[in-house]
Amino acid sequence: MITRYAPTVEAGGPARPLRILTYLHGFDPGGVERVALRLNAAWAARGAQTNIIVGCDSGAARAPATAIQYQVLAGRFVPGPRTRIVHMLLLLPAIIRRDRPDVIFCAGNTYSAIAVGLRLILGKACPPIIAKISNDLARRDMPWLVRVFYHRWLKIQGRLIDHFVGMAPAMAQEIAEGMRVGRDRITIINDPVLFEAELDRLGATRSPPLAVRKGRRFIAIGRLTAQKNFALLLAAFARIAAPDDRLTILGEGPERADLEQRAARLGIADRLAMPGHVDSLDHWLRDADTLVMSSAYEGVPAVIIEAVAAGLAVVATDCSVSMPDLLGQGRFGKLVPTGDVAALAGAMDKASRCQPCTDSARAHARRFTIEAGAAAYLETMSRLVRAEAASEG
């Protein structure tokens, strides 16, 4: 059952719905965009007034989003990867001045530069900004000098962004130290990954009977980029793969050709499938034994929760402070050091062919539903808006 959200109250005026503005570059298939679109749908269903601004009307995740109202920035040029931030900052301030949202939602670290730019451009006219931290802040994958500048950039965000949302309890300290902000400016909301109906559906069936099927089925999911470190996964799989074992990597990205060439050199091309981006994971998770995450860094990867809900064994790199919590402190999967091919291969080789979809696994995954997350975000946003109004009054 959907609970209607209590509207905010304007000083000296009638109660009205909370106005939320979310900006996205487009309909990229990444977890940040997917969660943002789903949250907006849930906020609207609870009575909030949502406004999604996209830089361009394209992307692999566009089809499911067409049921959600959104606006496309109408500029003189179509933004590319190197110009989309400038494109947003040229056109978005005028929309904010015109529509006067109560709060701006920054959907992830990818969008923090725009949040900082909006604060600098709009000054006191900028509504409060709430930013979700979607990636690891330690970034041990970076060269030390780059990491020094990155950590200075985090402090700038801490000065200019009003409130931060961490997606797991372990992130609170990381945000406080990285952004140099007090705990009163941090809220922990478990990453809203699945609608409750999706969670129930994922845990409902398994096929075929894995005990009688030849070979193990490993699956990995994510954009084909350096962050995901699928090259490490291919090397680990090559070490332990029997003739009937199979590895499927779902996703698309710039490293496809390199990964295909690596698989050929490793002699596993005949056991590797890379079907690209898919809209629904149900079929793929149902037919897999083990989900493997080989990333160099992450925030709170949604696919881990989906795998737990589907009853898969999970093997993952220790790519964020949130990973132990996501895997129930080891109850639902195995963590290995990032970049360690031997450890990853060993954990894959020992992974259970299928973890039963136990009540405890399903209860754990239920902490990460859209329904629970949407309500928590609205409460946090309303509190932020009231505090802003009180300070101005």
Side-chain angles (χ1 to χ4, degrees):
M1 185 174 106
I2 291 176
T3 303
R4 299 293 290 180
Y5 178 69
T8 64
V9 178
E10 280 192 16
R16 59 167 177 75
L18 185 70
R19 297 191 296 252
I20 307 167
L21 185 143
T22 302
Y23 57 89
L24 301 170
H25 292 309
F27 298 108
D28 295 337
V32 165
E33 288 77 17
R34 179 172 178 252
V35 169
L37 292 169
R38 288 173 159 227
L39 278 173
N40 271 270
W43 293 335
R46 285 161 173 75
Q49 184 178 323
T50 61
N51 186 12
I52 302 171
I53 308 294
V54 296
C56 62
D57 195 14
S58 63
R62 182 182 181 278
T66 52
I68 304 172
Q69 275 195 324
Y70 62 93
Q71 298 181 48
V72 181
L73 289 178
R76 295 183 178 180
F77 64 93
V78 177
R82 296 184 179 182
T83 59
R84 56 190 187 179
I85 293 178
V86 174
H87 181 243
M88 278 276 182
L89 291 177
L90 285 174
L91 300 176
L92 198 52
I95 294 175
I96 293 170
R97 290 189 185 100
R98 182 195 69 199
D99 295 347
R100 299 178 62 194
D102 296 308
V103 63
I104 296 173
F105 177 54
C106 174
N109 296 53
T110 310
Y111 296 98
S112 59
I114 297 171
V116 168
L118 290 174
R119 173 67 67 190
L120 293 174
I121 292 168
L122 293 169
K124 293 182 179 180
C126 186
I129 300 172
I130 183 168
K132 185 179 80 170
I133 303 303
S134 59
N135 263 331
D136 167 59
L137 299 183
R139 294 302 301 270
R140 293 184 296 271
D141 60 298
M142 290 180 172
W144 73 269
L145 184 59
V146 176
R147 193 160 62 245
V148 168
F149 283 101
Y150 177 71
H151 287 162
R152 289 181 180 177
W153 164 236
L154 293 180
K155 295 171 188 175
I156 292 172
Q157 294 178 46
R159 289 198 295 269
L160 296 175
I161 295 175
D162 299 274
H163 201 83
F164 297 93
V165 171
M167 299 185 292
M171 294 182 75
Q173 183 175 352
E174 184 181 53
I175 295 170
E177 293 177 354
M179 306 289 187
R180 296 291 178 89
V181 298
R183 293 298 181 93
D184 60 321
R185 291 174 58 195
I186 303 170
T187 299
I188 299 300
I189 301 174
N190 289 319
D191 196 24
V193 175
L194 297 167
F195 288 106
E196 290 181 359
E198 291 175 316
L199 187 151
D200 293 335
R201 188 176 69 245
L202 277 172
T205 58
R206 298 287 302 167
S207 69
L210 300 181
V212 300
R213 187 177 67 189
K214 288 185 178 181
R216 298 169 292 183
R217 299 294 183 264
F218 299 96
I219 189 169
I221 302 166
R223 292 197 71 234
L224 309 183
T225 61
Q227 174 191 349
K228 304 302 180 181
N229 204 359
F230 288 131
L232 179 77
L233 172 58
L234 295 183
F237 179 70
R239 289 192 179 199
I240 56 98
D244 291 319
D245 292 344
R246 297 291 182 268
L247 170 63
T248 299
I249 301 178
L250 300 179
E252 197 52 80
E255 293 203 340
R256 170 177 283 277
D258 178 69
L259 293 172
E260 290 173 340
Q261 292 167 11
R262 284 176 182 268
R265 290 196 300 269
L266 290 166
I268 57 171
D270 61 329
R271 284 166 283 180
L272 172 68
M274 297 175 63
H277 171 74
V278 298
D279 289 331
S280 174
L281 298 178
D282 290 19
H283 160 72
W284 303 95
L285 293 176
R286 188 170 60 243
D287 290 343
D289 305 333
T290 302
L291 176 103
V292 186
M293 173 165 285
S294 51
S295 298
Y297 63 94
E298 291 283 350
V300 175
V303 69
I304 296 292
I305 299 305
E306 293 175 282
V308 170
L312 273 69
V314 176
V315 173
T317 54
D318 189 12
C319 51
S320 110
V321 295
S322 305
M323 293 300 293
D325 183 67
L326 284 185
L327 291 176
Q329 309 303 323
R331 287 180 296 150
F332 309 114
K334 172 71 173 177
L335 288 179
V336 301
T338 56
D340 190 330
V341 64
L344 185 64
M348 290 171 64
D349 204 27
K350 295 175 183 176
S352 169
R353 298 198 66 187
C354 178
Q355 286 190 345
C357 190
T358 61
D359 291 341
S360 61
R362 200 171 300 179
H364 178 72
R366 202 170 293 280
R367 294 167 48 200
F368 301 86
T369 61
I370 296 288
E371 287 83 354
Y377 266 103
L378 287 175
E379 181 181 348
T380 301
M381 289 176 175
S382 183
R383 187 170 66 247
L384 185 61
V385 171
R386 287 197 301 268
E388 179 83 1
S391 66
E392 291 178 354

